[in-house]
Amino acid sequence: MALSDTDRILLEKCLARKPRAWEDFVDRFLGLIVHVTNHSAQARSIRLSHQDREDLCADVFLAIVKDDFTVLRHFRGQSSLATYLTVVARRVVVRELLSRKSASRLAVAPADEHHEVERRLEDREEVARLLDELEGSDADVVRMYHLEGMSYQEISARTGMPENSVGPLLSRARQKLRQAGAEPSPS
């Protein structure tokens, strides 16, 4: 998709430093930047607090305005402005996430942490009962995630499995567990 007229005009106004141009730009693309920030963190099994999310979004916008809008000046219009900004935002967010010494420096939102712990405790008994239905790496990964409380990153490090394969394996294992739970047990 090529550059839309609306985005072209907005871009020209920003580069010409017209009144309210930057505010209009932020209004138009803030949702996109927040989404890219959330997705980038989630893909790396990092939970962001509200403050971390705001800081990362601010870092993206700072990168855009840095050196008199250099990022926007490099835009060639060969794609939509949203696509270009998605790539820019992802690079900035990933760089910032990796530059932090460890994911543990990111504050975990207390409500999210409480909900996750509660959900895992509720699942614990059911998982322990149904774990006998699984074999091999499926059982190991389910045990590590639900019973030991490990993150995708920790499971990946322990098993050597790519981090982006942990979620799909857990989904398939849960489906097997649901099917096993729905079937009457032989008496």
Side-chain angles (χ1 to χ4, degrees), residues 24-185:
D24 292 344
F25 183 91
V26 171
D27 288 346
R28 179 157 174 84
F29 294 108
L30 179 60
L32 173 73
I33 303 303
V34 169
H35 174 76
V36 170
T37 300
N38 288 336
H39 182 75
S40 297
Q42 183 182 17
R44 284 154 186 79
S45 299
I46 297 173
R47 281 198 208 124
L48 298 175
S49 70
H50 181 71
Q51 185 63 44
D52 291 325
R53 184 175 299 104
E54 284 183 3
D55 289 348
L56 290 167
C57 289
D59 290 336
V60 172
F61 284 114
L62 283 172
I64 293 170
V65 299
K66 185 179 176 186
D67 297 328
D68 193 33
F69 297 100
T70 300
V71 169
L72 295 181
R73 292 184 192 286
H74 284 134
F75 177 61
R76 298 291 171 229
Q78 296 173 341
S79 66
S80 71
L81 185 54
T83 299
Y84 179 74
L85 291 173
T86 297
V87 173
V88 169
R90 185 179 311 122
R91 287 179 181 171
V92 171
V93 170
V94 169
R95 182 183 66 230
E96 289 299 318
L97 289 173
L98 294 177
S99 72
R100 296 172 188 217
K101 295 203 182 209
S102 71
S104 64
R105 285 184 54 200
L106 293 172
V108 175
D112 291 344
E113 180 181 296
H114 176 73
H115 176 71
E116 180 68 15
V117 168
E118 203 173 89
R119 185 179 62 75
R120 284 190 183 189
L121 288 174
E122 289 172 4
D123 291 347
R124 190 178 187 97
E125 290 178 6
E126 186 70 11
V127 170
R129 182 180 68 76
L130 295 173
L131 209 49
D132 294 333
E133 302 291 329
L134 299 175
E135 299 174 353
S137 64
D138 288 1
D140 293 338
V141 170
V142 170
R143 185 175 295 108
M144 284 184 245
Y145 183 77
H146 286 286
L147 300 181
E148 297 175 23
M150 296 174 77
S151 69
Y152 286 14
Q153 188 176 23
E154 293 167 326
I155 293 169
S156 173
R158 184 176 290 175
T159 64
M161 172 187 302
E163 190 174 331
N164 62 350
S165 297
V166 174
L169 185 143
L170 282 169
S171 293
R172 288 190 301 274
R174 286 184 195 116
Q175 183 61 34
K176 287 179 189 176
L177 292 175
R178 278 192 287 277
Q179 290 171 350
E183 297 171 4
S185 58

